Amino acid sequence: MKLILTCEHAGNKIPEFYKHYFKPGENVLKTHRGIDLGAFDVFKALEPISDWAFYNNKSRLLIELNRSQHHPQLFSEFTRQFSKEEKEKLINLYYLPYRNAVKKAINIYVNQKETVLHVSVHSFTPQLNGVTRNCDIGLLFDSRLQKEKTVAIAFKEKIKALHPNLNVRFNYPYLGKADGFTTFLRKEFPQYYLGLELEINQTLLKIT
């Protein structure tokens, strides 16, 4: 099995050309809306055991790499008012190069009929809209796929063996089959691909 590691929300950088669009609300870039706080540190810790590793250091508020192109959250309130041409430029400059690079790596192994485990590293805010998330680590997968379920169960058992007090939940705080990069890739690679999203509560992470 080959391990491909990704981190779609590793950073909160805004390219110089677009910075003036974010001036009115630039503080939001430092919050969970602009970046998956702490996720990049986890990504870097896991990178040595991966066969390929990809991360995006641009803010999700520029363009959301973990959403399909038809999703209403592809563009944020900062870029939603862009013209069709400006949006296509963002897609061609940042969205497609990242996703195509990951697809290319997966395709190499799939063509060799080798199973690929893709772990997409994320973090989540402990509270959202006044609701406390009752979870330390979430493992997101498509519960209809037995192989993904088996990997998720094994992953949970390993975590619990090391840290018995952690609350590890399946498909929480989001559903693994919801719109996202792993969901897209499952359709692109119906064989030899397993997608798992690792969601870590930001209270567990040392965030500077």
Side-chain angles (χ1 to χ4, degrees):
M1 184 179 290
K2 300 297 183 179
L3 175 61
I4 290 183
L5 198 66
T6 68
C7 190
E8 284 68 51
H9 308 136
N12 59 359
K13 295 185 182 299
I14 300 295
E16 194 66 35
F17 180 80
Y18 296 101
K19 282 186 176 179
H20 65 282
Y21 293 104
F22 290 82
K23 282 293 182 184
E26 59 184 351
N27 287 337
V28 76
L29 290 170
K30 301 175 184 178
T31 72
H32 70 92
R33 291 196 58 232
I35 180 175
D36 272 7
L37 299 163
F40 188 50
D41 291 330
V42 177
F43 171 88
K44 287 189 294 184
L46 295 174
E47 187 176 7
I49 65 170
S50 68
D51 295 284
W52 287 78
F54 303 86
Y55 70 92
N56 165 55
N57 66 0
K58 308 296 187 299
S59 176
R60 68 200 304 172
L61 296 176
L62 182 69
I63 186 168
E64 172 57 275
L65 302 189
N66 199 38
R67 294 286 176 262
S68 57
Q69 288 191 42
H70 66 265
H71 197 278
Q73 293 178 359
L74 180 66
F75 299 102
S76 71
E77 67 268 29
F78 300 98
T79 55
R80 199 172 292 127
Q81 77 278 11
F82 282 15
S83 67
K84 181 180 179 181
E85 291 73 22
E86 289 172 320
K87 289 179 177 178
E88 287 180 352
K89 185 177 179 181
L90 286 177
I91 290 170
N92 290 323
L93 279 177
Y94 306 110
Y95 183 91
L96 288 178
Y98 179 86
R99 290 169 70 110
N100 287 342
V102 178
K103 278 177 57 180
K104 184 177 179 180
I106 295 171
N107 196 55
I108 290 172
Y109 296 124
V110 168
N111 282 342
Q112 297 170 355
K113 296 186 178 180
E114 291 193 72
T115 298
V116 172
L117 173 60
H118 169 209
V119 177
S120 178
V121 181
H122 298 267
S123 71
F124 64 92
T125 181
Q127 286 191 329
L128 185 65
N129 300 324
V131 178
T132 298
R133 266 89 171 264
N134 183 26
C135 179
D136 294 314
I137 295 177
L139 300 175
L140 280 52
F141 59 97
D142 190 331
S143 58
R144 297 168 295 187
L145 302 177
Q146 184 57 48
K147 288 184 179 180
E148 285 194 0
K149 185 176 181 180
T150 298
V151 169
I153 291 171
F155 206 146
K156 179 177 180 178
E157 288 175 350
K158 290 292 186 182
I159 295 172
K160 295 293 284 184
L162 292 170
H163 301 283
N165 295 328
L166 287 181
N167 182 9
V168 182
R169 298 181 62 176
F170 293 143
N171 288 317
Y172 186 92
Y174 311 104
L175 292 177
K177 61 183 180 181
D179 184 274
F181 197 18
T182 53
T183 299
F184 167 80
L185 290 169
R186 288 184 194 107
K187 295 175 183 176
E188 291 288 301
F189 302 103
Q191 288 186 301
Y192 304 110
Y193 171 83
L194 305 175
L196 185 72
E197 291 184 70
L198 174 62
E199 287 277 359
I200 305 170
N201 193 314
Q202 289 166 6
T203 58
L204 296 180
L205 303 171
K206 183 179 180 181
I207 299 169
T208 57

